[in-house]
Amino acid sequence: MQSVFSKIFEKLLKVRLQSYIDKFCLLNKCQYGFRKNSSTKLALIDLVQTIELNQNKNKHTIAIFLDLRKAFDTVNHELLLKKLEFYGFRGNALQLFSSYLCDRKQFTHAMGSSSATKEIKFGVPQGSILGPLLFLIYINDITSSISKDINLKLFADDTAILVSHSNLDSLNTIANETMSKIIEWLNMNKLSLNNEKTYGMFFNANKKINKTQVTQINLQDTKLKFVEYTKYLGIIIDSKLSFKEHIHCLSNKLRKWIAIFRKVSPLLTTFAKYTLYNSLFYSNVLYGIEIYGMAKKADMKCLQVVQNKALKSLFRYDKNYPTNKLYSELCLKNIYNLFRFRASIMLKTLLQQPGKLSVHDTVLSYCSPTEHKYLTRDKKNFNLKFEKPSFTSSKHLPFTYYGTLFQLK
């Protein structure tokens, strides 16, 4: 438990530390955790779009989702101080961080009894304001251990490694070499890998290729387990990028509210009904819709049906009432329109406010501005470019497809 004075001091120190980091661009572009103008959705969009673009170039991709065992609790103080010194923290500033980290003690108090006091030799302080930022600095050099051609997507300790190549043999070789270097870096930095929760996934660029051709990847003293789908940052990603499993799980989660809405509806005011819908139903639908909303319309239909039933139950409409009138009267958007709306906002934000994240580079790599010297209407338009003609007619369109000529106002 931290005192109020300690929290105020840490907040002031974080502002100065963050300002220094931003001024000299110390953090990697692939790091999305605990950063300004960043979110899990941006990390997910970057991950999915990178895989899609590799498929557009006829490149297969192996994604390795790492799970670090108690990452925040195993940070080595001596190594962290050396990294802070490397990034320019010296003299009094370094001594301040040394005083902040070292000589901390902890004990447990329960039912009137206290345990012995023990010194904390590892980890960043739990529940602290500075802890997450110090952890980002600690793992910031993980990219230096691998080739520049390898894509890393990080959200604090949630790490996804993307290895891509058009040749399967070369892909397997590079993937094994990359994992070997990553494990070596983890060992050097006193971090450990949870082998049981570390998974691999193969994204095929050619349907004729059999997944069994992907050889085993070494993972310390075991082999990497390949799965068809896994949960990453709250979204279930499958090997076909269909998001069918995520939509299925989300639909089952939301379906339980239909009966509850029907029972409580007579007791609520209109304002209370909207509040209930937004907090329990809409918030779950909204998260990640820019990503899973790119699924086929047939797969999204089950989620749309659940939304229709939930609204009719909550606002006491007849089950045969036309859905178009329903959404018009309630001033709400259905699943399909909500996806287009949120995707357009996300695209506009990424193009108008390019930042220091790799997602901006990913989007701009295929969404280039119209270049000419005349002040025409299309001067600020952005065009999507694909190398493979069949990509734009594929079943799994990237969300940015809806912004083919997106006007920035």
Side-chain angles (χ1 to χ4, degrees):
M1 183 69 69
Q2 290 182 303
S3 65
V4 175
F5 177 79
S6 175
K7 290 183 178 180
I8 295 173
F9 179 74
E10 280 194 48
K11 194 166 186 179
L12 294 172
L13 190 57
K14 182 186 176 183
V15 172
R16 297 292 298 273
L17 179 60
Q18 190 71 64
S19 176
Y20 177 79
I21 289 173
D22 293 340
K23 181 180 179 180
F24 295 100
C25 302
L26 298 182
L27 292 181
N28 285 312
K29 284 187 173 183
C30 60
Q31 177 61 262
Y32 292 86
F34 307 108
R35 300 185 68 177
K36 189 178 179 180
N37 298 324
S38 179
S39 65
T40 53
K41 289 192 291 186
L42 289 181
L44 286 163
I45 288 170
D46 193 13
L47 176 77
V48 173
Q49 295 288 274
T50 301
I51 296 170
E52 293 261 15
L53 288 172
N54 285 328
Q55 290 177 331
N56 180 42
K57 298 175 183 177
N58 287 317
K59 290 183 178 181
H60 312 290
T61 300
I62 291 178
I64 304 172
F65 299 93
L66 303 182
D67 184 83
L68 302 182
R69 185 180 283 108
K70 297 182 179 180
F72 281 75
D73 296 330
T74 55
V75 171
N76 185 282
H77 292 170
E78 185 180 350
L79 286 175
L80 177 56
L81 292 172
K82 287 182 179 179
K83 292 185 180 188
L84 285 169
E85 185 178 10
F86 173 79
Y87 289 121
F89 297 88
R90 299 181 179 89
N92 292 334
L94 187 62
Q95 290 179 9
L96 176 62
F97 283 109
S98 177
S99 175
Y100 173 79
L101 291 168
C102 302
D103 297 325
R104 285 180 174 267
K105 294 178 174 60
Q106 66 179 5
F107 68 94
T108 302
H109 182 83
M111 300 178 66
S113 300
S114 300
S115 66
T117 303
K118 297 289 185 180
E119 184 179 354
I120 303 174
K121 297 181 179 181
F122 301 94
V124 291
Q126 291 288 340
S128 64
I129 296 172
L130 274 177
L133 191 55
L134 291 175
F135 180 79
L136 297 189
I137 294 173
Y138 188 76
I139 66 168
N140 193 52
D141 61 330
I142 189 173
T143 54
S144 63
S145 64
I146 58 176
S147 171
K148 294 181 179 180
D149 298 329
I150 307 301
N151 284 288
L152 247 68
K153 312 300 176 187
L154 302 166
F155 193 92
D157 60 326
D158 290 312
T159 307
I161 305 170
L162 302 181
V163 184
S164 303
H165 205 279
S166 56
N167 182 273
L168 278 180
D169 292 333
S170 300
L171 179 65
N172 292 319
T173 302
I174 297 171
N176 273 289
E177 291 176 353
T178 301
M179 274 309 303
S180 178
K181 292 177 181 178
I182 288 290
I183 291 171
E184 182 181 356
W185 182 90
L186 291 173
N187 292 334
M188 291 175 61
N189 287 270
K190 314 299 182 182
L191 296 173
S192 57
L193 200 62
N194 190 342
N195 294 343
E196 296 179 357
K197 295 183 179 180
T198 297
Y199 302 113
M201 194 177 296
F202 179 66
F203 297 92
N204 205 340
N206 188 341
K207 294 180 180 180
K208 296 180 181 179
I209 298 295
N210 192 338
K211 291 185 180 181
T212 57
Q213 293 179 254
V214 180
T215 59
Q216 292 181 330
I217 296 176
N218 296 321
L219 193 66
Q220 294 176 331
D221 56 347
T222 183
K223 300 292 182 182
L224 180 67
K225 181 182 178 182
F226 277 83
V227 295
E228 288 298 316
Y229 58 86
T230 187
K231 196 169 189 178
Y232 181 68
L233 300 179
I235 297 291
I236 300 176
I237 299 175
D238 58 89
S239 59
K240 295 181 180 179
L241 292 181
S242 66
F243 300 99
K244 192 172 183 178
E245 185 65 25
H246 178 80
I247 294 169
H248 175 72
C249 292
L250 181 60
S251 299
N252 289 339
K253 179 181 179 180
L254 297 175
R255 193 174 282 113
K256 67 180 182 181
W257 294 114
I258 296 175
I260 298 174
F261 286 167
R262 187 180 294 112
K263 290 180 180 180
V264 301
S265 178
L267 309 174
L268 302 175
T269 63
T270 302
F271 177 79
K273 289 177 181 178
Y274 275 103
T275 303
L276 191 66
Y277 170 76
N278 288 331
S279 59
L280 299 179
F281 195 97
Y282 179 75
S283 58
N284 286 285
V285 171
L286 193 63
Y287 178 72
I289 194 170
E290 299 91 342
I291 298 99
Y292 74 79
M294 69 178 70
K296 293 186 294 185
K297 194 171 183 178
D299 294 332
M300 293 286 286
K301 186 177 180 181
C302 65
L303 189 58
Q304 182 61 73
V305 170
V306 173
Q307 186 190 28
N308 296 343
K309 290 182 178 180
L311 287 174
K312 289 179 180 180
S313 298
L314 183 59
F315 291 91
R316 308 192 72 181
Y317 280 84
D318 184 80
K319 65 178 181 179
N320 296 320
Y321 195 82
T323 54
N324 290 336
K325 289 185 178 181
L326 171 71
Y327 288 98
S328 177
E329 292 175 8
L330 296 178
C331 298
L332 296 173
K333 289 182 172 59
N334 62 26
I335 296 295
Y336 307 119
N337 290 332
L338 183 61
F339 162 63
R340 293 185 178 91
F341 176 70
R342 297 294 300 184
S344 298
I345 291 176
M346 179 66 73
L347 177 59
K348 185 174 182 179
T349 302
L350 289 173
L351 295 177
Q352 276 189 320
Q353 301 175 352
K356 301 172 183 178
L357 301 172
S358 61
V359 66
H360 298 97
D361 298 333
T362 303
V363 171
L364 290 175
S365 66
Y366 59 84
C367 196
S368 58
T370 305
E371 296 179 358
H372 54 71
K373 61 183 179 180
Y374 304 105
L375 296 175
T376 63
R377 258 179 285 183
D378 298 333
K379 174 68 175 178
K380 294 183 178 181
N381 281 1
F382 283 76
N383 299 280
L384 294 182
K385 298 186 299 182
F386 298 101
E387 296 177 11
K388 188 192 298 183
S390 60
F391 186 71
T392 54
S393 60
S394 66
K395 295 179 180 179
H396 314 126
L397 293 172
F399 82 95
T400 43
Y401 176 78
Y402 293 98
T404 305
L405 282 175
F406 197 85
Q407 180 67 41
L408 302 181
K409 297 180 181 179

